[in-house]
Amino acid sequence: VYRVPETATVLLSGGIKFSDLSEEDAVIFQENLLKSMMQIENTFFSLADSCTKNCLVICDRGTMDASAFIPEEQWEEIMRKNGWNPVDLRDTRYNQIIHMVSAANGAEAFYSIEDHATRSENISMAQHLDNRAAEAWVGHPYFDVIDNSTDFDTKMRRMISVLCQRLSIDTGDRLKTNARKLKFLVKGPLPDDSVFPNFQDFSVEHIYLRTNSRKMQARLRKRGKNGHHSYTHTIRKPEQLGQIVEVKTAISQRDWNNMSAQADEHHFNIYKIRRCFLHNNQYFQLDIYQKPCHQRCEGLILLETYSTLPSEELQRRLPSFLTIEADVTGRPDYSMFNLSLRDEWGVTNKFCVNIAEEDDESAVGSCPGSGIDMHLHRPKTSLQSIKQDARLDNLKRSSSHHDRLDIISTFEPLLPSHLELPPTKPLLLNSEVAFANDVVMDSEEFTTVAVVANVPAKITNGFFAPEH
C-alpha cells in the first residue's frame, strides 16, 4: 500500500498562509498546488505500475479538491490554460472516491483545530468547504460518502468496508453494516433543473457483447461529457456457491471501437443521461433513458443509491422534489440486461432472472435457469386465462412503466415460483441484508456479487455507486 501525502499540507506547512494570499495569488497557488499534486501522485502511480505485487495507492485529497477553494470561472480558466478536463482529472485518474464528511458537518461537538498546524477554519467555514469538496467529486462513477450518522469507530469500519468491497477483499462479518444498493422508479416529467442541487450530467452508452457461455454477460460502457469519455468493459459470471463475480476493466477508446464489433444482436444499445448529485449527504444517480430504445424504455427514469441507512432514515433523505413511485430493487423487469432485449419478454427465451442458477435446457439466453416463458407458464383454459392473456398483451405493448406496475401483479401465477417480484409498496427497505460488494441483497432473494478491480487501484476522498 502506497500512501500519497496531502500536497496542501506539505506546502502550507512551509509557511504559506492561504488566508493571507490575494485572490490572484490564491489562484496561482492552487494551479501550482495541482501541478505538484499530480507529479507526486504520478511518482507513486509509476511505482505501483512497476510493482510485481498487487498494489494499492491511497491519495490524501485529489485533483478535483482544488476546485473547492477558488471561484468556478477561475477553475475553468486553469483547466483551459493547462489543457485539462474533468473527465480525466476526476473519472479516469482514480478508481474510487471516498469522501469522509468533516466532523463539522453532523458531529460538531467533536470538531477541533487543535494540534493542526495548517487548519484554521471555524465550524461554519469548515462545513462550507466540506460541502464544496464533496460536490467537486459529484459525477465519479464510484463515489462513497461516509457521513457522521454513526459513532467514529463505526464510521471507520464503514470506510474500510467500502474499500474492501471495491477490491473484492472478503472481510466476513467483521465490517458488516447492512449496506445495500437500491433502485427506485421515478415518475416523470422531472422538475426544472433549478430544483436540483448541484449536479453533473453525463451521456452514457451501454453495449452488450456476444459471449461463448450462457452463464456469462459482457458489456461495454462509454461515459462522459463535452467530448471527453471514459470506457469500461464489464464481465459478469457465476462462480462457486452461486456467487457472481463482476470484473470491470478500464479500456481505451480504441478498445471500445474494436470490441463494439462484437455487439450482441439480441440487445439494443442502451442510451441514458445520468444525473449525479448529493442530497442530504446521500449520493444519487438518476438514469434518464433516451431514444433509440425499445418501447419499454421510453420515458423510463430510475434513481439509484447505495446506502447503509435504516429504512426510515433513507426515506427521509430521498429527494422530495422527485416523484418516487416504487422501490424496484432486485426486480428483473428493471435490470438493464432485460430492458435492452430487442424481443418482447412474452416471446423471448433471453429474459434473465438469475445468472447464477444451474444450467438446464429450458434456461433463457445468457442467463440460464430462470425458466421465464410467459407462454409456457400461462394457463390455457378458463375465462380467467383469457383475461390474463389480454392483460399480458397490455403489458407487452405498454410503454408506461407505471401501467406495468399495476398489471404485473396479475402475472404472479404465470411466473415460475423462483421469480419473486417485490410488492410495489412505496419503499420496501426493511429487509435484513448483508454487504455483498457491488450488489447487496437479501440472503433468500438475491445472489451475492463480488467486484474485481484492476490493480493498482487509485483512491482519494469520495463515494461509490456502481453500475447495475
Side-chain angles (χ1 to χ4, degrees), residues 340-353:
S340 66
L341 287 171
R342 289 183 177 272
D343 295 332
E344 298 291 345
W345 291 341
V347 298
T348 185
N349 68 339
K350 304 293 182 182
F351 192 98
C352 177
V353 175

Side-chain angles (χ1 to χ4, degrees), residues 13 35 119-120 200-201 243 248 267 318 409 451 454:
S13 63
K35 291 178 178 178
R119 300 293 179 214
S120 59
Q200 292 283 340
D201 277 355
Q243 176 173 311
K248 296 187 177 183
H267 292 263
L318 287 174
S409 61
V451 177
N454 282 352

Side-chain angles (χ1 to χ4, degrees), residues 57-76:
V57 181
I58 301 178
C59 305
D60 187 350
R61 294 287 186 172
T63 48
M64 293 300 295
D65 285 299
S67 67
F69 296 90
I70 55 177
E72 183 176 356
E73 59 274 11
Q74 294 175 337
W75 171 255
E76 294 293 337

Side-chain angles (χ1 to χ4, degrees), residues 225-267:
K225 62 187 303 183
N226 299 328
H228 303 286
H229 296 88
S230 60
Y231 304 87
T232 307
H233 176 236
T234 300
I235 294 178
R236 302 184 77 240
K237 55 184 179 179
E239 295 294 318
Q240 294 181 355
L241 303 178
Q243 176 173 311
I244 296 175
V245 171
E246 194 166 276
V247 182
K248 296 187 177 183
T249 306
I251 60 175
S252 66
Q253 182 180 4
R254 182 177 181 180
D255 293 330
W256 162 274
N257 293 335
N258 291 335
M259 298 172 74
S260 296
Q262 303 299 317
D264 189 337
E265 62 277 7
H266 295 101
H267 292 263

Side-chain angles (χ1 to χ4, degrees), residues 373-384:
D373 184 332
M374 292 185 179
H375 291 294
L376 294 178
H377 290 275
R378 209 185 315 168
K380 296 301 182 182
T381 59
S382 79
L383 180 61
Q384 178 66 19

